[in-house]
Amino acid sequence: MRLHSLSITAFGPFAGTETVDVDDVARDGLFLLWGPTGAGKTTLLDAVVFALYGTVPGARGEARRLRSDHADAGTRTEVSCELTLAGERLLVARRPEQTRPKKRGAGETTEQARLLVQRWADGGWQPVSTRIDEGSEYLRVRLGLSAEQFCQVVLLPQGDFARFLRAEPEDRGTLLRTLFDVDRFARAEEWLAGERRAAEDALRADRHRVSTLLHRVAQIADVEVPEELAPELVGAHPGASVGTWVRGVRARAAERRTGAAAEADAAAARSARVDAELAAARALADRHARRDRARADLERLTAREPELTPLRARADRGRRAEALRDVLEAAGRTALAAERATAAREHAAAAWAEVSGGRDAYPAVARELRDAAAAARALLPEAGRATELAAEVARLARDAERLTARCADGARAVEEEPARVAAAQARLDTARAAAARLPGVVAAEESARAALDAATRATAVAGRLERARADADAARLAWLGTRERLVEVRTARLEGMAAELAAGLTEGADCPVCGSTEHPRPALPAGAGVTADDEERARTAVDAADERRAAAGRVVEEHERELAVLRERAGERPAEELADLAARARAERVEVAGLAGTLEEARRALTAAEDRRDAAVAALAADREALQRCTAGRATRADTLAELTARLDTARGEDADLRARTTRLTGEAERCEAAVAAADEERRARTAADDARVAAGERAAAAGFDDVLDAAGALLAGGELAPLDRRLREHDEARSVLAATLADPDLADLGERPDVAALQARCAELTARREEAVTALDQARRCAAALDALAGDVVAAEVELAERRARTEQVVGLADLVGGRGANTLRMRLQSFVLAARLEQVAEVASRRLQEMSRGRYTFLHSDALGRHGARGGLGLDVLDEYTGTRRPTKTLSGGESFMASLALALGLADVVTAEAGGVQMDTLFVDEGFGTLDAQALDAVMTVLDELRRGGRTVGVISHLEELRTRVPTRLEVVAGRSGSRLAG
């Protein structure tokens, strides 16, 4: 990957659009991104990560605040970068989700995130994707790195690698897991752990199965399981006698089955003989019972014959009367109809008499009443029209009064509105004048407030500067003291070097100075000996004091620069005068802003006043015209109403109104018509009744009855004759059947009745004995069969348990091995083993650069040793000090040494990660901060390594705020911070 250009808009501290031509800035292969702390240097790197991955690294990504607080509402946050990936030149433009003002109306709306990926082809940019998911996948495939890997490989954040350098093995593994894919090994661990649990569960299940089978054997055979075969001991000892015990139980069950079979056969033979005797006795007793029942039933039916004679006579009369039922019922119906017709005629005549006025009921009278009612009904619409005219005349009178009042009010409003319009115009002129003055007043207030703030901060910074100078002087004196102490220690060690060498001599060994194997007079120490560790501690103290001195000097320089800038902003006026000017400017700004803020309200008030004036004039004219129309319409409708009322009064006569007259005449006509119809119906009903009575009398005499009443008395109720005939017929048939039964030869000469009860008791006793024997045999057979079936299951379960135990031991051993337990003496898990191999590669690659930066002194060493308190091993990291030949923990390195080690580790890890990702070539790298801990000599070594990276074809960007780097790196890009946001220096 090679970065060519970067453009950001409203991103982080950058309010506007800033563009970086990386090809131009990095033409020498090495450039410096310089600026004060907090100016936004790292934000440029965040923009690169955001463009490629849609996120920013570290805690800044968690805050999700990408948009600049300095940008105006109309500017959209966007990042665009041009780069080469996998041989393709791409242009990537990405926007985050953000809010913007609505185009219509007030408020804000959310604008969704966007991504546009374009490719340079055929002399122009051609779109690749406009979808976020598709474009991100396109970039990820060509980058070959995840966002975490990219941030560690390309940006080289030194703070993270300093922590990685000194971290415990488990914490170091956290970062390595984000850079190297060990998920498949973790899944292998989880799979083996799951297999272990499954194997142990299966083993427990098999043991439980064998135990369950043994308990089933004991339950079936009604015995107890031996103690050596208890559930908790099943399968624990392969030599347990499970099969022997089961075979003994089966043998005893077979003996019980043979005895039960013999007893059941004997009981069945005895029961069969008694069953035959009982069957013969039951058949003879049944024949005796049949003969006795037939004799008793025949006697009972013969005794009932006298009771049936009247019923036979009644049935005969009813059968003859049934033929006359139709004429008898017709005579009854017509007589009842004649009586009802007479009653209806009397009722209708009485109703007509109430309203007739002495007139008889004739059809002509009814027609006259109908004609009069129709004439009154025809005038009903005119009565409704009269009511509507009266209501309309009243409404028009009310409208005329209302319009007269409105005309008076409108005339007064027309006279008052011009004064209101003039007042609104005056307020608008005042607001316009204030709005014109407001920018100048605001600028004056900001200038006064900035000067006051600068003067206040300058006072505070001056105090901090004095304290910083005192701290710098104290740090310098302490540094001189430690240097003098180092010189004294080195001098003392040189003076005692002979004694130090002599202390290491042994008889027969070569002298490291002269080579002799004899040591007649070894040198003795003159006083307290000074060792190499004493000299190292003194040198470490000098380095620490020098770091504190340099840091104190940088603090003094920062305070001096800040104080000069603040005094320039404050000017020559004293703070009291600046405070007074700021207060007056603020008061004036508040007053003018208040007046200017009413500008839109004054405009709306003027428009509203003019609208009210025009509306009042138009409303007055409309009301006057409406009053004229209302008065004319009322007069016309009043004349029409008077004429119509006179005509309706004549038509209604003495009735209350036309509707009442119509109702009265209609009712009288209906009563007259009802009286005429009732008289006609009575005459027809009397004639039909007489005819039906004569016909019924003739038919009754022909059927043998005295008269119609005698025939009606003999007539039975509907459905009564059939049951009566059926009862008589059933009685006769039953007597015939019983006579035939007594004549049957099987019921003659039956002999003495047998004792069935005694035979049943004897048979029940033998049957119970037989069932007990059969039950015992069945139980013995089921027990033997169940034991035979379980014997095979027990043997198979025992074999499976042995196989399961062997496999479980293998799985548990393998799971413990990859999980860092059991035979794994290093307690190293499988994924930690893989990470340890990667860390060993990183240490080997990083050692080459660390040796160059430390001038051959330090080399990284990978350690497999266990951690503190027996913690898991495999991810330890030490350094070999060539000066002393000892292996040291990385925590013992000084600040500058830690920076060099961290940088070497970061570069080595970047090389291994890119190789792991398939050899992805990263041609652009950024080193972020950390140079302030280096002295001049160490800085030269580090810059030499960076130069080698540049000579290898890479572009290296150094991010720092150190002044010294400005002189060492000629090509630089400066970030300038301001109150309105950061920008790139021109």
Side-chain angles (χ1 to χ4, degrees):
M1 183 211 76
R2 178 175 294 277
L3 185 64
H4 300 293
S5 66
L6 175 67
S7 177
I8 60 176
T9 302
F11 189 84
F14 297 93
T17 300
E18 302 293 339
T19 301
V20 180
D21 189 348
V22 180
D23 288 339
D24 180 62
V25 175
R27 56 185 178 276
D28 296 331
L30 181 66
F31 67 94
L32 173 66
L33 184 58
W34 188 88
T37 301
K41 303 184 296 296
T42 306
T43 301
L44 296 175
L45 307 186
D46 291 345
V48 176
V49 180
F50 175 72
L52 297 178
Y53 293 96
T55 184
V56 295
R60 299 184 299 278
E62 298 175 2
R64 299 178 64 86
R65 287 179 54 83
L66 303 179
R67 180 168 175 78
S68 175
D69 294 332
H70 302 282
D72 58 79
T75 304
R76 303 273 70 77
T77 298
E78 183 177 358
V79 175
S80 174
C81 71
E82 185 178 346
L83 71 164
T84 297
L85 282 180
E88 289 185 330
R89 194 175 183 103
L90 303 176
L91 179 61
V92 181
R94 189 188 293 268
R95 286 185 179 182
E97 181 182 287
Q98 54 193 307
T99 59
R100 60 170 177 80
K102 292 183 177 179
K103 296 180 180 180
R104 297 180 179 177
E108 295 183 337
T109 184
T110 301
E111 186 176 280
Q112 298 300 319
R114 298 180 183 177
L115 173 63
L116 174 61
V117 181
Q118 301 180 79
R119 176 176 54 228
W120 182 266
D122 299 330
W125 292 109
Q126 297 181 357
V128 175
S129 175
T130 58
R131 290 174 47 187
I132 295 180
D133 54 350
E134 184 181 60
S136 299
E137 179 65 16
Y138 184 85
L139 295 173
R140 188 194 64 78
V141 171
R142 279 150 183 78
L143 284 166
L145 301 173
S146 65
E148 293 80 4
Q149 292 175 322
F150 183 85
C151 294
Q152 299 294 342
V153 169
V154 178
L155 304 185
L156 302 187
Q158 295 303 311
D160 289 350
F161 278 96
R163 288 190 294 272
F164 177 76
L165 187 69
R166 297 183 174 90
E168 295 297 329
E170 288 295 330
D171 298 332
R172 188 175 290 123
T174 302
L175 176 61
L176 292 175
R177 289 186 183 91
T178 64
L179 299 179
F180 298 105
D181 183 14
V182 294
D183 289 344
R184 58 186 183 277
F185 302 105
R187 289 194 297 272
E189 291 182 20
E190 295 176 358
W191 180 80
L192 283 173
E195 288 294 308
R196 172 182 179 168
R197 291 191 297 270
E200 292 175 345
D201 292 343
L203 179 60
R204 284 192 295 270
D206 286 351
R207 293 183 61 186
H208 178 71
R209 178 187 173 193
V210 173
S211 176
T212 301
L213 290 173
L214 292 180
H215 279 82
R216 288 180 60 188
V217 170
Q219 181 181 9
I220 292 171
D222 195 17
V223 296
E224 296 291 336
V225 179
E227 294 184 359
E228 62 272 14
L229 299 180
E232 61 273 9
L233 300 178
V234 172
H237 304 289
S241 56
V242 173
T244 303
W245 179 74
V246 172
R247 284 193 296 274
V249 172
R250 290 177 62 195
R252 289 190 294 273
E255 293 176 358
R256 287 197 300 272
R257 180 181 60 188
T258 303
E263 180 62 24
D265 292 341
R270 291 191 297 269
S271 178
R273 289 194 300 271
V274 176
D275 284 343
E277 295 177 3
L278 179 61
R282 282 176 174 171
L284 181 57
D286 182 64
R287 289 163 66 192
H288 277 280
R290 286 173 58 199
R291 185 182 65 180
D292 294 342
R293 285 196 302 270
R295 288 175 178 175
D297 291 342
L298 182 59
E299 292 174 357
R300 178 176 53 80
L301 292 177
T302 303
R304 292 182 59 189
E305 275 296 328
E307 299 176 3
L308 298 179
T309 300
L311 295 178
R312 295 182 189 278
R314 184 182 176 191
D316 179 63
R317 283 174 57 82
R319 197 175 296 107
R320 287 185 289 114
E322 187 67 27
L324 304 178
R325 181 182 292 275
D326 55 344
V327 295
L328 295 176
E329 290 180 352
R333 285 196 303 271
T334 55
L336 291 176
E339 294 176 0
R340 287 195 296 270
T342 300
R345 191 265 306 165
E346 292 174 353
H347 178 73
W352 165 244
E354 294 175 357
V355 297
S356 65
R359 292 173 295 177
D360 293 330
Y362 290 108
V365 175
R367 284 195 295 272
E368 290 176 359
L369 293 173
R370 290 285 185 184
D371 293 341
R377 190 181 297 110
L379 292 176
L380 284 177
E382 295 296 328
R385 180 164 171 259
T387 303
E388 294 175 357
L389 286 174
E392 192 170 358
V393 168
R395 181 183 60 77
L396 291 174
R398 292 192 299 272
D399 291 347
E401 293 177 359
R402 178 175 53 81
L403 289 172
T404 301
R406 284 177 57 181
C407 288
D409 294 340
R412 288 192 296 271
V414 169
E415 294 175 356
E416 295 172 356
E417 288 301 330
R420 294 192 181 95
V421 172
Q425 183 65 51
R427 287 197 299 272
L428 177 60
D429 295 340
T430 303
R432 283 175 175 169
R437 291 179 53 206
L438 183 60
V441 173
V442 170
E445 182 197 8
E446 291 180 352
S447 177
R449 188 169 62 250
L452 176 61
D453 181 63
T456 304
R457 291 173 58 192
T459 303
V461 172
R464 292 198 296 272
L465 177 60
E466 292 300 326
R467 292 192 295 272
R469 286 172 175 169
D471 294 342
D473 293 340
R476 181 174 177 278
L477 292 176
W479 173 64
L480 292 175
T482 55
R483 288 190 61 184
E484 293 175 358
R485 171 62 181 163
L486 176 61
V487 172
E488 293 173 358
V489 170
R490 283 179 175 173
T491 301
R493 188 185 179 198
L494 291 175
E495 292 175 354
M497 185 61 70
E500 181 179 347
L501 292 174
L505 296 176
T506 57
E507 192 65 31
D510 295 340
C511 176
V513 178
C514 63
S516 174
T517 58
E518 298 180 355
H519 318 295
R521 288 181 300 167
L524 299 175
V530 178
T531 64
D533 291 339
D534 295 334
E535 183 180 358
E536 178 62 23
R537 283 192 294 271
R539 188 189 63 77
T540 302
V542 171
D543 293 340
D546 188 30
E547 291 179 3
R548 290 192 293 273
R549 177 189 63 80
R554 290 193 297 272
V555 172
V556 170
E557 293 175 0
E558 291 176 0
H559 287 340
E560 287 176 347
R561 288 196 299 271
E562 185 178 1
L563 182 60
V565 172
L566 292 175
R567 285 178 174 173
E568 179 65 25
R569 293 176 181 173
E572 301 297 332
R573 293 182 179 180
E576 294 80 2
E577 184 178 352
L578 291 175
D580 184 56
L581 288 175
R584 289 199 302 273
R586 182 169 57 256
E588 184 179 5
R589 191 264 304 162
V590 170
E591 179 183 1
V592 174
L595 292 174
T598 63
L599 178 59
E600 291 299 325
E601 182 181 356
R603 285 175 178 166
R604 291 193 297 271
L606 177 60
T607 302
E610 292 174 346
D611 292 343
R612 284 195 301 271
R613 179 194 60 193
D614 298 340
V617 173
L620 178 58
D623 289 343
R624 286 175 176 173
E625 183 179 355
L627 179 58
Q628 292 176 359
R629 290 196 304 270
C630 182
T631 302
R634 178 190 174 193
T636 302
R637 286 168 176 76
D639 294 341
T640 304
L641 177 61
E643 180 184 353
L644 184 58
T645 301
R647 185 153 49 92
L648 293 175
D649 290 343
T650 301
R652 66 182 175 82
E654 296 178 357
D655 293 311
D657 52 24
L658 288 175
R659 192 172 300 279
R661 182 176 179 82
T662 301
T663 302
R664 179 179 63 82
L665 294 174
T666 301
E668 292 177 358
E670 291 174 349
R671 292 188 180 190
C672 182
E673 292 170 349
V676 173
D680 294 340
E681 181 62 26
E682 182 186 13
R683 286 191 296 272
R684 286 194 299 271
R686 288 297 177 184
T687 301
D690 294 339
D691 294 341
R693 185 174 61 254
V694 172
E698 294 175 351
R699 291 277 301 275
F705 293 102
D706 296 338
D707 54 18
V708 174
L709 295 178
D710 185 24
L715 187 64
L716 298 177
E720 186 179 357
L721 179 60
L724 183 58
D725 287 340
R726 184 170 56 254
R727 178 182 176 185
L728 296 173
R729 185 173 60 256
E730 289 175 352
H731 174 79
D732 295 339
E733 291 175 353
R735 288 190 64 187
S736 300
V737 170
L738 291 174
T741 300
L742 291 174
D744 190 355
D746 290 340
L747 301 183
D749 299 329
L750 295 181
E752 185 180 358
R753 186 184 297 270
D755 189 358
V756 178
L759 290 174
Q760 286 179 340
R762 184 181 176 189
C763 182
E765 180 183 358
L766 294 177
T767 300
R769 293 178 182 177
R770 184 194 64 188
E771 290 177 352
E772 291 175 357
V774 171
T775 301
L777 175 60
D778 182 64
Q779 290 178 351
R781 286 174 176 172
R782 287 201 303 270
C783 177
L787 291 176
D788 293 341
L790 283 177
D793 294 341
V794 171
V795 173
E798 192 173 12
V799 173
E800 291 179 2
L801 178 61
E803 296 175 353
R804 184 77 66 184
R805 185 188 303 109
R807 183 179 183 278
T808 301
E809 291 174 354
Q810 295 176 353
V811 173
V812 170
L814 183 58
D816 288 342
L817 182 65
V818 301
R821 295 183 296 274
N824 191 337
T825 57
L826 293 178
R827 301 187 64 191
M828 189 186 303
R829 298 170 60 180
L830 178 60
Q831 54 182 317
S832 299
F833 177 78
V834 177
L835 292 177
R838 294 290 186 266
L839 183 59
E840 190 172 5
Q841 296 176 3
V842 171
E844 181 180 355
V845 175
S847 293
R848 294 194 291 270
R849 292 195 174 92
L850 181 59
Q851 288 177 352
E852 184 174 354
M853 286 188 282
S854 64
R855 300 186 183 278
R857 180 175 181 180
Y858 293 112
T859 302
F860 281 117
L861 295 177
H862 171 249
S863 173
D864 289 334
L866 295 176
R868 292 183 300 176
H869 308 297
R872 299 181 186 275
L875 298 178
L877 192 64
D878 297 328
V879 292
L880 177 63
D881 189 347
E882 298 291 347
Y883 288 4
T884 62
T886 60
R887 184 171 186 154
R888 296 168 50 187
T890 55
K891 296 181 180 179
T892 62
L893 296 176
S894 65
E897 292 170 342
S898 295
F899 169 73
M900 290 187 294
S902 300
L903 179 59
L905 191 62
L907 293 172
L909 191 58
D911 292 341
V912 174
V913 169
T914 53
E916 179 76 10
V920 178
Q921 184 65 35
M922 294 297 167
D923 296 324
T924 303
L925 299 177
F926 295 92
V927 182
D928 191 0
E929 292 294 354
F931 295 92
T933 60
L934 302 178
D935 56 19
Q937 187 176 10
L939 184 59
D940 287 338
V942 171
M943 295 306 294
T944 300
V945 172
L946 297 180
D947 281 338
E948 289 184 357
L949 293 175
R950 177 183 60 178
R951 288 194 296 271
R954 293 184 177 180
T955 297
V956 181
V958 178
I959 298 91
S960 180
H961 61 276
L962 294 180
E963 289 287 345
E964 187 174 358
L965 287 176
R966 298 181 69 181
T967 61
R968 288 178 175 268
V969 183
T971 304
R972 59 182 176 270
L973 185 66
E974 183 175 353
V975 181
V976 180
R979 294 179 61 85
S980 58
S982 299
R983 60 180 179 82
L984 298 179

